[in-house]
Amino acid sequence: MSKQGPRWTQTWLGGVRSAGFDLGYPGERLGLPEEGSGSIAGWGRRIGALVIDWMICTWAIAQLLLRISPVQAPWAPVLIFALQYLLLVGLIGQTFGHRLMGIRVAAMDGRAPRLLPVLVRTVLLCLAIPALISDRDHRGVHDRVSNTMVVRI
């Protein structure tokens, strides 16, 4: 590397931070703290909660309680996931996976989200692709459309 600074490939491969831009921490633009309660939940917690909820819906509810094989009815776990997500997030602001991972879904004002935004969020989350596209505040398309965010408890 030269004394003039990093090569263009180093800035491109390292992202905008390596090029000298500081975008702040996730949630800073939203007025949230960097760490602790009320801060934006990281990807590890969010993915962990999703995996826990998916296992509950696929194994515990679909296979054990309802005796539905996900191989014969692949739509069943998605439908069960959507129903439990809509009910739990709509009523208490978090699913079982969220609770175990220490996160919750909140409206942009910090309160519990209303039922219609939770319905929109649930439909988009079940489509999977909107959840994979996110901004620097870790808000996926499903969060932005429903005007929600996932924060730590």
Side-chain angles (χ1 to χ4, degrees), residues 82 85-86 117-128 130 142:
Y85 198 91
L86 180 64
V118 172
L119 175 64
V120 171
R121 188 179 199 283
T122 302
V123 169
L124 291 173
L125 183 61
C126 288
L127 293 175
H142 64 300

Side-chain angles (χ1 to χ4, degrees), residues 1 5 24-25 29-30 32 37 42 45 109 123 125 144-145:
M1 186 161 75
Y25 61 86
R29 294 183 310 160
L30 306 173
L32 301 175
S37 181
R45 289 176 187 261
D109 61 4
V123 169
L125 183 61
R144 293 182 63 92
V145 169

Side-chain angles (χ1 to χ4, degrees), residues 6-18:
R7 293 184 2 211
W8 72 271
T9 54
Q10 291 170 325
T11 59
W12 177 70
L13 292 173
V16 293
R17 291 190 199 282
S18 65

